[in-house]
Amino acid sequence: LIQLIDKVPEGGKIDIQAKFFAFTMDSISEIFFGRQTDLIGGQSDLFAAAFDHTHRSMMRYFFNNFHWLVLWSFLPWPLGPLTVSLHNRFEQFWRNFDPHGKMFNESAKRCNQMADEMIENILKDPDLPNQKHLLALFATAMSDTTESDTRWNVTDTQRLEILRSMTLHFILAGRDTTACTLTWAM
């Protein structure tokens, strides 16, 4: 990062927040997946691009439909928030007809598929128990259950879903907050 800042000519400008987003995604890729990426150096990564597209699509959907989503939450029972199931069905219905919602659904599906592929490749690694990235540690802990220890007594499909959820939640919780905090601190 310092090398990139040093390359900016005197009086030149740099979008430091974009660089911090790239830096945090590079860090997350290495810490969580054991993957080397160089987004900050300008290289592209399909998973990072899919994640960014999903995030942008979700924000467009939310801001373009905020009024409908808030209105729906204020409707009286049996249509309002007391019936979460009906509220979720309405939101899913609305997301399928809204162009931004469709884009978000497609992006989220693609992001989940890519995360699943990365996780499956990591799980197939014969050296998995010796890997030190977070995903390998979680996967190893899940496979080290005994007959008396049923905490992780799950099917392969459930295991993949759990690992995907952990991975995406860590990225959601860590990438944007860290990048924005670093930008604010500058």
Side-chain angles (χ1 to χ4, degrees):
L1 184 63
I2 299 298
Q3 294 169 352
L4 289 172
I5 293 173
D6 288 342
K7 290 180 183 177
V8 177
E10 187 69 33
K13 295 180 181 180
I14 185 170
D15 184 355
I16 196 71
Q17 187 169 29
K19 296 297 180 189
F20 280 140
F21 275 101
F23 172 72
T24 53
M25 190 55 112
D26 284 342
S27 300
I28 285 170
S29 291
E30 188 169 346
I31 293 168
F32 292 167
F33 305 117
R35 295 175 60 230
Q36 294 283 330
T37 58
D38 189 21
L39 298 172
I40 198 164
Q43 291 182 356
S44 63
D45 181 64
L46 292 176
F47 179 73
F51 182 83
D52 285 341
H53 191 265
T54 303
H55 190 262
R56 279 191 302 277
S57 299
M58 187 255 324
M59 294 306 291
R60 284 187 194 116
Y61 168 73
F62 179 76
F63 285 121
N64 285 325
N65 293 290
F66 181 75
H67 55 286
W68 294 114
L69 298 171
V70 170
L71 177 65
W72 181 258
S73 68
F74 284 115
L75 288 175
W77 186 86
L79 301 174
L82 292 177
T83 53
V84 175
S85 175
L86 188 59
H87 179 40
N88 289 343
R89 285 187 196 143
F90 169 75
E91 205 275 328
Q92 287 174 351
F93 169 80
W94 188 259
R95 209 179 327 150
N96 287 327
F97 288 98
D98 179 75
H100 298 290
K102 284 181 186 178
M103 188 182 305
F104 170 70
N105 286 342
E106 292 166 7
S107 297
K109 185 177 179 181
R110 186 171 49 251
C111 193
N112 284 337
Q113 288 171 341
M114 294 180 80
D116 287 348
E117 289 172 12
M118 281 194 310
I119 293 166
E120 287 171 351
N121 288 337
I122 288 170
L123 293 175
K124 290 176 187 173
D125 185 0
D127 196 36
L128 181 65
N130 298 323
Q131 299 291 328
K132 299 299 178 197
H133 54 85
L134 284 178
L135 194 57
L137 296 175
F138 279 120
T140 302
M142 291 177 82
S143 62
D144 285 345
T145 58
T146 61
E147 292 294 324
S148 61
D149 182 13
T150 59
R151 289 177 295 170
W152 295 108
N153 191 12
V154 296
T155 65
D156 287 342
T157 303
Q158 291 170 325
R159 180 179 179 193
L160 183 64
E161 289 175 7
I162 291 168
L163 290 173
R164 180 186 349 116
S165 293
M166 280 191 223
T167 300
L168 294 176
H169 282 94
F170 275 129
I171 294 171
L172 285 169
R175 191 193 76 140
D176 292 357
T177 54
T178 303
C180 290
T181 301
L182 288 170
T183 304
W184 178 80
M186 291 292 288

